[in-house]
Amino acid sequence: MKNNRWMNFLPYLIMMLLLGSIFSYTRVSTTETLKYGEFYDLISKKEITEVSLTYNSTVIDVKGVYKDNDLDRRFIAEIPNTEDISNDLLEKLNKTVKDGNITIVNPYATNYLVEVLVQVVPMALLFGFGIFMITRMNGSSNNKAFEFSKSRARLESNIKVKFDDVAGCDEEKEEMAEIIDYLKNPDKFAVMGARIPKGILMVGNPGTGKTLLAKAVAGEADVPFFSISGADFVEMFVGVGASRVRDMFKKAKSTAPCMIFIDEIDAVGRQRGAGLGGGNDEREQTLNQLLVEMDGIEENKGIVIIAATNRPDVLDPALLRPGRFDRQITVSLPDRRGRKAILEVHARNKKLAKEIDLDALAQRTPGFSGADLENVLNEAAILAVRAHRNEITMADLDEAIDRTMAGPAKKSRKYTDKEKRLVATHEAGHAVVGMFLEGADIVQKVTIIPRGVAGGYNLMTPKEDSMFLQTKSELIAQITGLLGGRVAEELVFNEISTGASNDLEKVTKIAKAMVNSFGMSDKLGPVQYASDSDNVFLGRDYTSNKATSDTVAYEIDQEVRSIVNKCYENAKKIIKDHRDVLDNIARELIANETLTKEDLDNIKQYGKKDPDTAVVAEKEIKY
């Protein structure tokens, strides 16, 4: 430790020596060089305190010091070496130099050691300083050049994340509870003859908390946590990934009980021999080594491997067989109760206003993952700081939800009057269908403020959280609601625009799924016509096999068109029956740009946003 500390001061020491050496050379430049006449004037006029004479074959080198206003000044001069001048010079110097301080220097007497040191030492110092700096640079940037095949797994101890920090996945935590007990007391399971799974595969959408849950298991069990990404194994050199796998398991065995977490395992665990160009030798060798190492772990040795992916369909079947990743846990998107619990966890360090209801916020965020909800609260906190508020308000949370779903508002983008009426009418059409169609989602918010590529949008939430199933009537209601904007444009303006392109894309996708996948066609019956391709790396549609005849394909197109047309006519009927509500919503949107569910309820009942204070023109809007 002391040696390292001394090495830290070495560059400064070398720099000081270099500066001193340079100063010693440059100091000569401060000496005054005198001409022949000037030198004789100096002898006659100044007090010379010391002088040295060096007799060469042709000249005499004179060096000395004289007094100038009580200051010592150095001088040098060259005098012709003749007998007369030499004798005259010595005579004058004897009279002028104080105390006869005259030195005669032998020009042939040389100190070779001093000359060598003067020339070599500065060069040696410069060379040493350069070598030192290069060594430091290499050590700080790439001192692991000889550890290329070593494992990149990061070892973490004393994990602070606990199950209390993970919310919205109670069932998943129950599945992991026995793993924690096993890591703490592996002998208890061995006595009973129970074999704990070596590998656990966590599957779920991005942001659902797979990595956080794995860390919480290590934190609860208080064991070392090896964390690595699947991409860290694969390199351009064949064999490196396999070597890193061997090194990682070697370290894990030496620190057992412990846990190995492999994130994005699909990067290294994809099906072997798949793809147009064949397999990837490096990735397949790495996968083979991973399988071998998992088989080499003896039962109940205190090593648990947890992997995470959102693409289980591309994994090699050998990974999923019993004895390897034989337990699969699906980490789903949280339901309403789970979203509230997640919000409570992330709101611990946030200053929320008293009127904020996290349960209502959870109801307004269906389909949000844990990462999305954390981002909502973080965006709300940033907005509160930007507005110089001391706490997060509901307005901040509303804006944060909008930002998460559609991006920040583009307030600088200005509509023309025609565009504004068109967008307001379009969004009002969606809202009217949602308000009056039985089974439709609840309209929570309508806005014509542009966000992202959208000119406006409706925030609609289901009446109940449905995690798995949707009925035919609910799908029909979704299609009808999506067509409400297009219908409103046609009825009000007798013209249609490109604003419904995204709506039509969703409508077509839902209708095709009803006929092809869900067997919801009255004419074609409960038959599934869609067939998935096994070649997951070649593009699903590119390699999809034709499972229907031309006649059936034509009938499928007819059924899809029939479902969409029926929903279109139903949306047209609803909007015609409630044309006054459509006009009132469009008028309020033009005036206020954003309407909440309470505003829509007031418009539905009273014809205006705020029946108590708002002054609304009685005449209808002229489009």
Side-chain angles (χ1 to χ4, degrees):
M1 184 69 181
K2 292 182 179 179
N3 188 34
N4 292 336
R5 185 176 300 175
W6 181 85
M7 290 295 290
N8 291 333
F9 288 102
L10 183 59
Y12 303 102
L13 179 61
I14 294 175
M15 186 61 67
M16 291 174 63
L17 291 175
L18 287 174
L19 291 175
S21 177
I22 294 172
F23 177 76
S24 66
Y25 280 107
T26 56
R27 190 176 58 181
V28 179
S29 62
T30 61
T31 302
E32 185 178 0
T33 302
L34 302 178
K35 296 179 181 180
Y36 181 80
E38 293 174 343
F39 172 66
Y40 276 96
D41 289 342
L42 179 68
I43 294 176
S44 60
K45 297 180 181 179
K46 298 291 184 180
E47 178 185 356
I48 299 177
T49 58
E50 63 177 277
V51 68
S52 65
L53 303 175
T54 303
Y55 287 84
N56 296 305
S57 60
T58 58
V59 295
I60 303 173
D61 291 330
V62 183
K63 297 180 181 179
V65 179
Y66 70 92
K67 287 285 186 178
D68 184 18
N69 296 328
D70 295 332
L71 295 177
D72 291 337
R73 296 187 179 276
R74 293 183 177 273
F75 69 91
I76 60 175
E78 289 184 350
I79 307 299
N81 189 5
T82 63
E83 183 176 356
D84 295 339
I85 294 177
S86 175
N87 294 332
D88 183 61
L89 176 63
L90 283 174
E91 183 180 352
K92 290 184 177 181
L93 288 175
N94 284 326
K95 296 179 180 179
T96 305
V97 177
K98 186 178 180 181
D99 298 330
N101 195 3
I102 302 173
T103 304
I104 306 298
V105 179
N106 184 4
Y108 303 105
T110 304
N111 191 335
Y112 294 102
L113 179 61
V114 174
E115 290 185 357
V116 171
L117 290 177
V118 168
Q119 296 180 9
V120 173
V121 169
M123 297 299 298
L125 290 175
L126 286 173
F127 182 76
F129 181 73
I131 294 297
F132 177 79
M133 294 303 296
I134 293 174
T135 304
R136 288 290 297 268
M137 291 173 62
N138 288 339
S140 61
S141 62
N142 194 20
N143 59 353
K144 296 186 178 180
F146 296 102
E147 299 181 5
F148 192 66
S149 61
K150 298 296 184 181
S151 170
R152 300 289 180 88
R154 296 173 295 277
L155 175 60
E156 299 181 43
S157 302
N158 300 322
I159 303 294
K160 302 299 181 183
V161 180
K162 306 294 182 182
F163 271 177
D164 292 340
D165 301 314
V166 184
C169 49
D170 296 336
E171 293 78 8
E172 291 81 357
K173 289 194 287 188
E174 290 177 2
E175 289 289 330
M176 291 294 192
E178 65 184 22
I179 303 299
I180 297 171
D181 193 16
Y182 162 66
L183 289 171
K184 289 182 175 180
N185 305 294
D187 295 336
K188 181 172 65 175
F189 292 85
V191 170
M192 294 298 296
R195 179 181 63 82
I196 290 297
K198 297 178 184 177
I200 299 172
L201 181 65
M202 293 195 295
V203 179
N205 293 330
T208 50
K210 300 183 290 296
T211 303
L212 187 64
L213 184 59
K215 273 195 173 184
V217 173
E220 291 286 346
D222 193 20
V223 296
F225 180 75
F226 288 91
S227 175
I228 192 171
S229 172
D232 289 335
F233 290 114
V234 183
E235 292 283 353
M236 63 180 293
F237 302 105
V238 175
V240 173
S243 176
R244 289 177 178 174
V245 171
R246 287 191 295 269
D247 187 65
M248 180 181 68
F249 277 87
K250 180 181 178 181
K251 292 178 180 178
K253 291 176 183 178
S254 65
T255 58
C258 66
M259 195 178 81
I260 299 174
F261 176 68
I262 306 175
D263 198 10
E264 305 296 344
I265 193 174
D266 52 276
V268 71
R270 292 193 174 194
Q271 295 179 19
R272 290 168 286 186
L276 282 172
N280 182 300
D281 288 341
E282 166 62 2
R283 188 175 64 232
E284 292 183 6
Q285 284 194 23
T286 306
L287 174 58
N288 292 337
Q289 188 64 42
L290 178 61
L291 299 177
V292 170
E293 293 293 339
M294 292 187 70
D295 291 339
I297 299 176
E298 298 180 13
E299 294 181 1
N300 300 331
K301 287 299 181 182
I303 298 177
V304 175
I305 306 165
I306 298 180
T309 181
N310 48 31
R311 293 292 307 279
D313 54 323
V314 305
L315 295 180
D316 194 281
L319 270 176
L320 306 179
R321 76 158 176 82
R324 290 167 182 164
F325 288 101
D326 49 4
R327 177 174 295 186
Q328 182 170 317
I329 298 177
T330 301
V331 185
S332 305
L333 292 171
D335 57 9
R336 177 177 174 178
R337 184 173 59 86
R339 292 195 297 273
K340 180 182 178 182
I342 293 173
L343 289 169
E344 290 174 347
V345 169
H346 293 299
R348 291 173 182 172
N349 62 338
K350 304 289 192 303
K351 295 183 179 180
L352 302 179
K354 295 181 179 180
E355 67 271 11
I356 291 179
D357 184 1
L358 293 181
D359 185 64
L361 188 62
Q363 183 180 4
R364 295 180 54 185
T365 52
F368 278 45
S369 66
D372 292 331
L373 295 171
E374 191 276 335
N375 186 54
V376 166
L377 289 177
N378 185 63
E379 286 287 341
I382 293 174
L383 292 171
V385 172
R386 186 182 300 175
H388 306 289
R389 284 191 289 269
N390 295 326
E391 58 185 10
I392 300 172
T393 64
M394 200 62 201
D396 297 325
L397 290 170
D398 286 338
E399 177 63 20
I401 293 174
D402 294 340
R403 282 170 168 260
T404 303
M405 294 180 64
K410 297 184 178 180
K411 299 179 180 179
S412 61
R413 182 186 298 177
K414 300 298 183 182
Y415 287 120
T416 64
D417 292 340
K418 181 180 179 181
E419 286 177 334
K420 194 169 187 178
R421 291 195 299 269
L422 183 62
V423 173
T425 302
H426 181 100
E427 300 303 330
H430 289 303
V432 168
V433 174
M435 293 167 64
F436 292 99
L437 178 62
E438 185 177 355
D441 292 342
I442 301 173
V443 183
Q444 298 286 355
K445 184 178 182 180
V446 186
T447 180
I448 60 172
I449 297 175
R451 293 178 182 273
V453 297
Y457 77 98
N458 276 255
L459 176 60
M460 304 177 74
T461 59
K463 296 177 181 178
E464 298 179 356
D465 260 348
S466 178
M467 298 297 294
F468 303 106
L469 301 176
Q470 283 185 301
T471 63
K472 181 179 179 180
S473 60
E474 290 174 344
L475 294 175
I476 291 293
Q478 283 186 26
I479 296 175
T480 307
L482 289 169
L483 292 172
R486 175 68 170 263
V487 171
E489 292 179 16
E490 183 180 353
L491 289 178
V492 175
F493 298 100
N494 197 25
E495 189 179 10
I496 56 178
S497 71
T498 60
S501 60
N502 185 252
D503 298 331
L504 297 179
E505 180 182 353
K506 295 178 181 178
V507 163
T508 305
K509 184 176 180 180
I510 295 173
K512 282 185 176 181
M514 291 175 63
V515 177
N516 286 329
S517 302
F518 306 142
M520 292 181 177
S521 170
D522 295 333
K523 183 177 180 181
L524 297 176
V527 179
Q528 188 177 63
Y529 295 101
S531 61
D532 294 331
S533 170
D534 292 332
N535 300 318
V536 295
F537 303 111
L538 304 184
R540 309 259 180 201
D541 296 334
Y542 177 73
T543 61
S544 59
N545 298 319
K546 186 177 180 181
T548 58
S549 64
D550 293 338
T551 302
V552 175
Y554 174 76
E555 292 178 353
I556 290 174
D557 292 339
Q558 291 293 103
E559 280 298 294
V560 171
R561 186 177 296 110
S562 175
I563 292 174
V564 175
N565 288 338
K566 288 179 181 178
C567 293
Y568 193 86
E569 294 301 322
N570 189 22
K572 185 180 292 187
K573 181 179 183 303
I574 293 173
I575 292 178
K576 282 183 176 180
D577 292 342
H578 304 91
R579 175 62 186 273
D580 56 335
V581 179
L582 176 75
D583 293 339
N584 291 334
I585 293 175
R587 179 178 60 246
E588 294 291 348
L589 278 175
I590 293 173
N592 300 283
E593 294 186 337
T594 300
L595 298 176
T596 64
K597 182 178 181 300
E598 293 76 14
D599 298 332
L600 295 174
D601 290 340
N602 287 336
I603 293 172
K604 178 181 177 180
Q605 185 174 359
Y606 303 107
K608 44 192 174 181
K609 173 178 175 288
D610 190 347
D612 296 327
T613 59
V615 179
V616 181
E618 296 182 357
K619 61 180 181 179
E620 296 181 354
I621 295 179
K622 301 299 181 181
Y623 294 102

